[in-house]
Amino acid sequence: MDIVSPALDDYLLAHCTPADDILRDLVEETHALVPGTSMQITHDEGEFLTMLVRLTGARTAVEVGVFTGYSSVCIARGLPADGRLIACDISEEWTSVARRYWQRAGLTDRIDLRLAPADETLRALPGEPFVDFAFIDADKEGYPTYYEELVPRLRPGGLLVLDNVLRTGRVVDPEAQSPADVAIRRINDRITADDRMQSVMLPLRDGVTLARKRT
C-alpha cells in the first residue's frame, strides 16, 4: 500500500529545502552499500526532523537507530552549537559510515554515539526528565521498550517522534501478524491511551507519530 502516490514523490521532494552535498553523498554511498534499502529516511522526513528540533528549542536529543547517520545529521543540525544528541545503535559497521559524515558536517562534537543494545543505553541514562527531543527508528519489536524508557526521561513539553508506524498499511491488515507488525500495533495503541502524552499520527512516508509529553 502506498501512503502517498508514487507520482507525487518527486514533487514532494522538490518542494522542500534541497539536500546539500553531504546528505546527497550519504544517500549515494548508503544505496551503493545496501541497494534498494528502505532503512534510510527520505530527505523530506529529514528536513521535517530538523524543523521539529528547531521549533521545540531542543538542546538534548536521543536517537534510537542510527544506521548510516542521515537522521543523526538532520537532528544534530537542528540543535544549538552546545546541544547534544545521544545516538544509540549496535552496528560498528554502519555507524562507521555515519561517523565520517558527522565529521564532514562539523557535527562530531554534538553527537555522542553509544554502541550497545538501545534498551541498555536508555536504562543507563539519568532517570529524571532531561530529554527535549527523541526519535525512534530501529527494530520494530523494540519500540514498546524504547518508548517506555524514553517517556519518563522526556521533560514536560518534550517531543518523541516514532517512524514507520503504519508499516506500509499492515497496521490495518488483521492477517499481518509478524512480530514487528504486532509490536507497532501495540505501541500505536499504547500511545493513544497514554495520559502522559498528547499525540498525532501523520501519513508522512511510512507513518510518523509525534507524541508530546504533557506539562
Side-chain angles (χ1 to χ4, degrees), residues 137-151:
D137 183 16
D139 60 294
K140 308 313 167 194
E141 294 173 61
Y143 273 39
T145 297
Y146 307 145
Y147 176 83
E148 296 298 345
E149 292 297 331
L150 280 165
V151 169

Side-chain angles (χ1 to χ4, degrees), residues 52-60 129-134 150-161 195-199 210-215:
L52 287 174
V53 173
R54 287 178 175 155
L55 287 172
T56 57
R59 304 182 70 85
T60 300
F130 75 102
V131 176
D132 303 308
F133 181 91
L150 280 165
V151 169
R153 294 171 169 86
L154 275 179
R155 65 165 175 80
L159 186 65
L160 175 57
V161 180
D195 291 338
R196 298 171 297 177
M197 308 297 285
Q198 176 187 14
S199 67
L210 309 184
R212 178 181 179 271
K213 192 170 184 180
R214 296 181 187 273
T215 55

Side-chain angles (χ1 to χ4, degrees), residues 21 46 49 58 60 64 129 144 170 183 186 188 197 212:
D21 289 342
L49 290 176
T60 300
V64 180
R170 291 196 297 278
R186 175 185 166 198
N188 289 345
M197 308 297 285
R212 178 181 179 271

Side-chain angles (χ1 to χ4, degrees), residues 1 3-4 67 82 94 112 114 116 128-129 132 135-136 138 161 168 189 197 201:
M1 177 187 293
I3 306 303
V4 175
F67 191 38
D82 60 348
W94 297 128
D112 177 7
R114 308 283 180 91
E128 69 272 7
D132 303 308
F135 179 56
I136 302 176
V161 180
T168 64
D189 291 343
M197 308 297 285
M201 185 181 288

Side-chain angles (χ1 to χ4, degrees), residues 1-208:
M1 177 187 293
D2 292 317
I3 306 303
V4 175
S5 166
L8 289 174
D9 278 354
D10 289 343
Y11 189 85
L12 289 169
L13 291 169
H15 288 82
C16 68
T17 301
D20 61 10
D21 289 342
I22 294 170
L23 292 175
R24 284 194 294 268
D25 290 350
L26 177 51
V27 169
E28 184 176 342
E29 180 170 347
T30 300
H31 282 266
L33 291 169
V34 192
T37 183
S38 60
M39 293 173 63
Q40 188 174 64
I41 65 170
T42 56
H43 177 62
D44 51 346
E45 188 172 352
E47 286 295 315
F48 185 60
L49 290 176
T50 303
M51 187 173 291
L52 287 174
V53 173
R54 287 178 175 155
L55 287 172
T56 57
R59 304 182 70 85
T60 300
V62 175
E63 176 185 38
V64 180
V66 173
F67 191 38
T68 57
Y70 195 106
S71 54
S72 306
V73 170
C74 294
I75 294 169
R77 281 179 167 174
L79 296 170
D82 60 348
R84 180 189 185 206
L85 169 62
I86 300 169
C88 309
D89 207 285
I90 58 172
S91 173
E92 178 66 49
E93 178 184 6
W94 297 128
T95 57
S96 67
V97 177
R99 286 178 187 271
R100 286 194 283 106
Y101 283 90
W102 297 342
Q103 182 173 17
R104 185 174 161 188
L107 298 169
T108 303
D109 60 343
R110 296 187 202 177
I111 303 176
D112 177 7
L113 177 63
R114 308 283 180 91
L115 282 176
D119 56 342
E120 295 178 9
T121 298
L122 296 177
R123 288 181 185 126
L125 294 176
E128 69 272 7
F130 75 102
V131 176
D132 303 308
F133 181 91
F135 179 56
I136 302 176
D137 183 16
D139 60 294
K140 308 313 167 194
E141 294 173 61
Y143 273 39
T145 297
Y146 307 145
Y147 176 83
E148 296 298 345
E149 292 297 331
L150 280 165
V151 169
R153 294 171 169 86
L154 275 179
R155 65 165 175 80
L159 186 65
L160 175 57
V161 180
L162 300 90
D163 198 17
N164 304 120
V165 295
L166 293 178
R167 297 287 294 164
T168 64
R170 291 196 297 278
V171 288
V172 294
D173 180 358
E175 296 185 3
Q177 295 295 328
S178 74
D181 293 332
V182 171
I184 291 299
R185 287 196 197 99
R186 175 185 166 198
I187 192 59
N188 289 345
D189 291 343
R190 170 65 177 129
I191 294 170
T192 303
D194 192 345
D195 291 338
R196 298 171 297 177
M197 308 297 285
Q198 176 187 14
S199 67
V200 61
M201 185 181 288
L202 304 175
L204 173 63
R205 295 304 173 178
D206 190 29
V208 173

